Amino acid sequence: MSWLNEIGHEFSNFLKLGDADFYNFLVFLKEGGHLKRSILFFMSDHGTMIDRIRNTPIGRIEAKLPFFSIVLPTILKKKYPHIDHNLQTNINRLTSPLDLYKTLIDIATNSYNPQPKGTEAIKNSGISLFNEIPKDRTCTDALIPESSCACYTSEAIPTNNAVIENITSSVVGTINNYLKPHRSKCAVLILKKIHQAKLIHSNLKHLEPGKKKAIWQYLYKPKLDKKQRYFIIFEVMPSEGIFEVTTEITQTNNFIILDKIIRANRYGNQSACIDDRDLKPYCYCKETTLEVQS
């Protein structure tokens, strides 16, 4: 097993520098006969998290949908044709790393025989990719965190909306509360700008590949969600940090933060004054502020 992140972790365009090496390695595996009795996984753990493209719509989607591919040996596909069939089906199904884990367990235990549908729990569990993934699976079923879920549509709403402004101000306050243990070192953050706000609709219906939409479906807006969720991108001072957050309005008209507040741009050595890995994306060292002022 090999796990590389040096090539494209900081700048996604640098990935092309590895093309020749990856190509030569894959050719070596194929022409050397190493794939005749081996299963090859070629994958990434996530898309770019801090490059500029991260702050574009396609960049946010790409970050949530990492590349993943499997190459099966011919001997395995002939002996267990259902595996190849299910993998082809699962290309257009919602999967997660938990499913990969279950798949690796199957390989380690030589569990290749077909499983009756419904054998594996749909909710709160991983499902081996050698079995068919349910087409109506949700992010909740697959234990995919809210910040990593791409199964929703949304509509833009004004950034000066009173609800959005109140939520965002409170979120900035939450970040400052996170930093309280380091208040002597980290500056108090102040909301600078709300870049984008969206109302999230999660009542999506699965559409099988190749099935055409009726004209009315292009005009269709999902029914009003039982839960009111907002996706907000905002910037703070003095760090110029850009953050993303998904919130949900509660029955008492308060709100909760779903999953976590994500830093969406680089912070370099802004937080060099603290060692807390979880808080580094939020902290802007007061020493940095003094250097800028001087």
Side-chain angles (χ1 to χ4, degrees), residues 211-223:
K211 188 175 181 180
K212 294 183 178 180
K213 287 184 178 181
I215 294 177
W216 66 268
Q217 287 179 304
Y218 287 96
L219 306 175
Y220 171 76
K221 182 185 292 185
K223 294 180 180 179

Side-chain angles (χ1 to χ4, degrees), residues 54-274:
R54 177 67 175 78
N55 290 311
T56 65
I58 188 63
R60 283 188 285 275
I61 291 294
E62 196 267 347
K64 299 176 181 181
L65 300 175
F67 176 80
F68 182 85
S69 66
I70 304 176
V71 178
L72 297 178
T74 302
I75 188 173
L76 188 67
K77 290 193 286 187
K78 288 183 177 179
K79 188 173 182 179
Y80 304 104
H82 69 280
I83 290 180
D84 187 46
H85 172 78
N86 288 337
L87 285 175
Q88 294 295 329
T89 299
N90 293 339
I91 288 175
N92 294 292
R93 301 290 169 86
L94 180 64
T95 58
S96 80
L98 289 176
D99 304 326
L100 172 60
Y101 172 77
K102 284 293 187 74
T103 306
L104 293 174
I105 293 296
D106 278 355
I107 295 172
T109 57
N110 289 315
S111 301
Y112 298 117
N113 291 319
Q115 299 291 325
K117 286 188 177 181
T119 300
E120 296 195 61
I122 294 177
K123 293 186 179 296
N124 302 328
S125 174
I127 300 175
S128 171
L129 297 172
F130 293 159
N131 298 322
E132 183 178 339
I133 303 294
K135 66 180 181 181
D136 58 350
R137 196 184 199 193
T138 66
C139 288
T140 301
D141 295 337
L143 294 180
I144 297 174
E146 187 71 30
S147 61
S148 299
C149 182
C151 298
Y152 66 85
T153 186
S154 61
E155 59 179 298
I157 55 178
T159 55
N160 61 354
N161 178 288
V163 173
I164 296 300
E165 289 181 337
N166 290 335
I167 290 176
T168 309
S169 295
S170 296
V171 171
V172 175
T174 298
I175 295 176
N176 283 322
N177 285 335
Y178 291 163
L179 295 172
K180 273 187 176 180
H182 303 284
R183 182 55 61 220
S184 62
K185 296 180 179 180
C186 301
V188 174
L189 302 180
I190 302 171
L191 178 61
K192 178 181 179 181
K193 180 181 180 181
I194 301 175
H195 288 276
Q196 190 177 105
K198 291 186 176 183
L199 177 63
I200 293 176
H201 299 293
S202 55
N203 292 337
L204 300 183
K205 292 185 177 180
H206 178 82
L207 188 67
E208 290 291 350
K211 188 175 181 180
K212 294 183 178 180
K213 287 184 178 181
I215 294 177
W216 66 268
Q217 287 179 304
Y218 287 96
L219 306 175
Y220 171 76
K221 182 185 292 185
K223 294 180 180 179
L224 185 63
D225 296 87
K226 294 180 180 179
K227 297 178 180 179
Q228 201 167 13
R229 296 181 176 182
Y230 295 102
F231 173 75
I232 305 170
I233 302 175
F234 62 94
E235 184 176 349
V236 298
M237 299 186 297
S239 65
E240 296 186 345
I242 297 176
F243 295 92
E244 298 176 1
V245 66
T246 302
T247 64
E248 180 178 299
I249 303 298
T250 66
Q251 292 180 344
T252 57
N253 286 327
N254 292 317
F255 77 92
I256 56 174
I257 295 172
L258 301 178
D259 199 14
K260 58 185 177 181
I261 305 168
I262 298 175
R263 177 76 181 252
N265 64 341
R266 299 177 187 278
Y267 52 91
N269 63 353
Q270 288 184 353
S271 55
C273 58
I274 65 172

